[in-house]
Amino acid sequence: MRTTSERAKSRAPELSGRGWLNTGGKNYELRDFRGKFVLLDFWTFCCINCLHVLDELRELEAEFTDVLVTIGVHSPKFEHEADPDALLAAVERYEVHHPVLDDPELTTWQQYAVRAWPTLALIDPEGYLVHVAAGEGHAEALRAVLETQLATHEAAGTLHRGDGPYVPPPPPATTLRFPAKVANTPRGTLLVTDSARHAVVELDADGVTELRRFGTGERGSADEPAQFAEPSGITPLPTEIAREVGYDVVITDTANHLLRGLDLDTGTVRTVAGVGSQWRAGATDGPATDIELSSPWDVAWWHPTGGVVIAMAGNHTLSVFDPIAGTVRRFAGTTVEGLKDGPAGEAHFAQPSGLAATADRLWLADAETSALRYVDTDRQVHTVIGTGLFDFGHRDGTAAEALLQHPLGVGVLGDASIAIADTYNGALRRYDPATDEVSTLAEDLAEPSDVLLVEESILTVASAAHRIERPVAPGVAQQLVRGEAMRISRPATGIRPGRIRLDVIFAAAPGQRLDTRYGPSTRVEVSASPPELLVSGKGTNTDLSRELVIDETIGEGVLHVVAQAASCADDPAIEHPACQLTRQDWGVPVTVTTTGTDRLALPLGGLDA
């Protein structure tokens, strides 16, 4: 493959959208950034991979602060994400400290031929596109490209150093800021994860009065003094287990990829699982403090597992933490994102984000498939509500016809029915296993993210309202909402029937090489929905290119491509070079037409030749 310098340069398309955030009210054009590198981050705030990239870029932005302008191009997936107020809240929630272009119609997305969240596009100081990458794990490659290009443009006089256009919004004043989950304590108080303030807060039973705060409020991972980074899930341990291990509560320290243990008597915090870096490959079972985790979002003690089940949103799996043995093990899921029932080890999940346990079922909110699911004591996975990655809505009735929109929390009510924090619908929903019916308990909530039954009262975490609410008064009747079904609206790619070529574009960055020390360094897995769309070409191999045969009788569908590549520093003098793994899952909507393309190019890293 030709190097970047050998390719014909391509001008970066103009930036276009509804407006800008984090700029003090100013709108920009691409020419306003001439003389600096511009990194476009195509993201949407429901996407866990996009949140990973936000964290990956923080260090890079700080290192190149006077020459690099990062612009988040927000390209929404769900209807709720196109709401400008919801986007404004997400930019604060996730500490996005760079300008954001609001692109609800996917105008800039289409101009850059983006096919997946997240995608990164680097533009040089003269306005030319020099690098494109999809997925996670690109920070080191971007650093290498920037360092190489930096010297060239500095020598040519086309680089201009200085401050960027970021203007921080005024700091808010609320007790909680984007709380995530809530749990009871043995003392009759409430514990709430205060995600945007990087703390855990103990509230009185009224859900308002602050009693204690754990954590300094600064993003970090230290045990003493205690620090967190976007904590989310929280579960008390059984009394006898807590007594033996010396802490009462397990907390998911989500952006740190850790589990933390909290002793309510002393207020001390300790790291009980994780190493502080994100799992991308390698061991999933072993000593808890030796195993990498991936954005643990919620936790729940479930007796049949003998431990704390972890909703691992970052790699679409469930794991179990055994606090007595001090171990972690994979419990369900394969890391493939999707909706597939059956044996736990073969099931597919999509950002499991909320857990609630009964004696015989572990209930879970599977956010990206807008689904309510459960695991039974035989380790079989079942879906109650939801049909897949692209379908959502607000509709009640039988479970088979009901629809949710990106739910983040579940709770068990006194009659054994299941309350659902239907986050992007701003609603509290109820599923009754006895009748298999779904209804709506409350609406007009601000991104509810968790549900907890306290005596006869239903508590809801109204995350975007920054408080705990009691939205359902005793005796209030349920209602039925006959909403419309919706689908993810993303431009489909026209492909020809018959033979087409799939190319995953990857080139190691300057100063790096593909890591072939232990075998092939690349892996590509291809499947389709419906499966009949692919006559041949499905399966897994190590080639970045392959021939697909498309059934001419299938009008439309989705091609699912999962690709990864391992690269290392290219220096023979280094015995153990620094290496990184890049990975991306594409779900490419396609229509089959004789006027479509016979080549599908997906940029994992680099530019197409």
Side-chain angles (χ1 to χ4, degrees):
M1 180 174 287
R2 291 178 293 170
T3 65
T4 298
S5 60
E6 292 172 322
R7 299 186 186 97
K9 284 188 173 183
S10 173
R11 276 283 181 191
E14 188 50 79
L15 306 177
S16 180
R18 179 166 54 189
W20 290 76
L21 290 78
N22 283 352
T23 63
K26 184 175 180 180
N27 294 331
Y28 285 95
E29 296 179 355
L30 200 55
R31 63 185 179 184
D32 296 323
F33 307 116
R34 197 75 80 235
K36 291 184 180 293
F37 290 94
V38 175
L39 178 62
L40 303 181
D41 174 17
F42 291 87
W43 71 300
T44 186
F45 62 78
C46 72
C47 163
I48 190 65
N49 312 91
C50 300
L51 303 186
H52 291 165
V53 168
L54 286 176
D55 284 336
E56 289 174 10
L57 294 180
R58 294 185 201 280
E59 186 176 330
L60 197 72
E61 291 176 88
E63 181 178 349
F64 295 95
T65 184
D66 61 339
V67 296
L68 175 67
V69 174
T70 300
I71 297 172
V73 182
H74 187 263
S75 312
K77 174 180 178 181
F78 288 98
E79 180 188 41
H80 175 70
E81 293 175 295
D83 183 327
D85 292 333
L87 174 57
L88 183 65
V91 168
E92 180 197 337
R93 180 196 298 264
Y94 297 116
E95 296 183 357
V96 181
H97 291 168
H98 52 244
V100 173
L101 173 64
D102 183 7
D103 184 25
E105 301 299 327
L106 303 188
T107 304
T108 299
W109 164 289
Q110 294 181 71
Q111 289 280 7
Y112 281 80
V114 175
R115 300 185 189 277
W117 299 276
T119 291
L120 299 166
L122 184 64
I123 303 166
D124 74 9
E126 295 180 282
Y128 292 100
L129 197 61
V130 293
H131 189 79
V132 176
E136 306 176 38
H138 294 289
E140 287 305 314
L142 285 168
R143 179 177 282 107
V145 173
L146 280 167
E147 288 174 344
T148 300
Q149 294 267 329
L150 193 63
T152 300
H153 286 279
E154 195 138 45
T158 51
L159 182 72
H160 306 297
R161 297 179 181 271
D163 294 335
Y166 171 64
V167 178
T174 55
T175 300
L176 302 174
R177 206 70 194 166
F178 298 104
K181 305 287 184 182
V182 62
N184 283 313
T185 76
R187 307 164 181 227
T189 58
L190 300 172
L191 282 179
V192 181
T193 46
D194 196 9
S195 67
R197 297 259 170 82
H198 312 298
V200 177
V201 180
E202 185 176 14
L203 299 177
D204 198 359
D206 62 9
V208 176
T209 307
E210 181 176 326
L211 302 176
R212 286 191 291 176
R213 184 171 284 265
F214 308 96
T216 65
E218 297 295 324
R219 180 186 288 265
S221 59
D223 285 347
E224 179 58 42
Q227 293 179 311
F228 299 92
E230 299 174 24
S232 179
I234 188 164
T235 190
L237 294 174
T239 303
E240 66 278 9
I241 301 295
R243 187 179 300 116
E244 184 169 347
V245 299
Y247 54 90
D248 305 283
V249 178
V250 174
I251 300 156
T252 64
D253 195 5
T254 303
N256 279 327
H257 311 288
L258 298 173
L259 295 188
R260 317 294 290 280
L262 170 62
D263 185 326
L264 289 172
D265 288 332
T266 64
T268 56
V269 172
R270 72 180 79 171
T271 298
V272 297
V275 301
S277 57
Q278 179 192 343
W279 182 92
R280 289 201 176 96
T284 60
D285 300 18
T289 52
D290 293 341
I291 299 296
E292 291 179 318
L293 309 180
S294 184
S295 293
W297 206 274
D298 201 8
V299 277
W301 177 271
W302 193 37
H303 182 72
T305 66
V308 175
V309 180
I310 312 166
M312 210 82 77
N315 62 11
H316 318 298
T317 64
L318 304 178
S319 289
V320 173
F321 165 59
D322 184 334
I324 300 295
T327 59
V328 168
R329 70 180 187 275
R330 175 75 55 80
F331 174 64
T334 66
T335 77
V336 173
E337 184 179 21
L339 192 151
K340 177 184 175 184
D341 291 342
E346 301 172 14
H348 296 170
F349 300 95
Q351 285 180 221
S353 300
L355 299 173
T358 63
D360 60 349
R361 292 182 179 183
L362 178 74
W363 293 92
L364 65 103
D366 206 27
E368 283 294 278
T369 53
S370 297
L372 174 66
R373 310 175 74 184
Y374 69 88
V375 186
D376 64 26
T377 52
D378 293 326
R379 290 190 64 195
Q380 295 289 313
V381 178
H382 308 264
T383 298
V384 174
I385 306 169
T387 58
L389 283 165
F390 297 93
D391 302 301
F392 66 96
H394 186 168
R395 188 167 66 191
D396 292 326
T398 64
E401 66 179 356
L403 294 168
L404 308 169
Q405 185 179 181
H406 198 79
L408 291 179
V410 286
V412 181
L413 300 181
D415 60 357
S417 64
I418 305 302
I420 309 160
D422 192 5
T423 309
Y424 285 4
N425 279 326
L428 180 62
R429 311 285 292 282
R430 176 181 178 267
Y431 168 67
D432 186 350
T435 63
D436 199 39
E437 292 284 328
V438 178
S439 56
T440 296
L441 295 175
E443 296 184 272
D444 299 321
L445 305 177
E447 295 191 5
S449 58
D450 201 17
V451 188
L452 179 68
L453 182 67
V454 179
E455 297 178 347
E456 297 301 315
S457 182
I458 300 175
L459 301 187
T460 301
V461 179
S463 187
H466 319 294
R467 60 178 179 259
I468 308 297
E469 296 181 349
R470 288 175 166 81
V472 183
V476 172
Q478 303 163 47
Q479 57 179 312
L480 294 179
V481 175
R482 305 300 301 182
E484 295 296 322
M486 295 179 243
R487 283 184 61 83
I488 304 303
S489 59
R490 201 170 68 185
T493 299
I495 58 173
R496 293 183 185 177
R499 301 178 188 278
I500 71 167
R501 179 181 176 85
L502 169 68
D503 288 326
V504 175
I505 311 302
F506 184 81
Q512 298 181 356
R513 57 175 171 77
L514 289 173
D515 180 17
T516 57
R517 292 172 297 165
Y518 309 108
S521 60
T522 56
R523 181 180 182 274
V524 178
E525 178 181 348
V526 180
S527 59
S529 300
E532 297 77 20
L533 177 66
L534 272 179
V535 177
S536 66
K538 64 183 177 182
T540 304
N541 62 34
T542 60
D543 296 328
L544 293 178
S545 298
R546 73 174 72 176
E547 182 181 83
L548 308 180
V549 178
I550 306 299
D551 191 322
E552 63 181 5
T553 66
I554 305 296
E556 61 181 21
V558 179
L559 287 176
H560 301 281
V561 181
V562 181
Q564 64 184 44
S567 56
C568 299
D570 188 12
D571 187 343
I574 301 175
E575 184 178 357
H576 300 291
C579 299
Q580 53 275 331
L581 181 73
T582 59
R583 176 188 169 99
Q584 173 62 11
D585 297 6
W586 288 272
V588 183
V590 296
T591 56
V592 181
T593 170
T594 55
T595 59
T597 182
D598 61 1
R599 178 176 182 254
L600 184 62
L602 302 176
L604 181 62
L607 287 175
D608 199 358

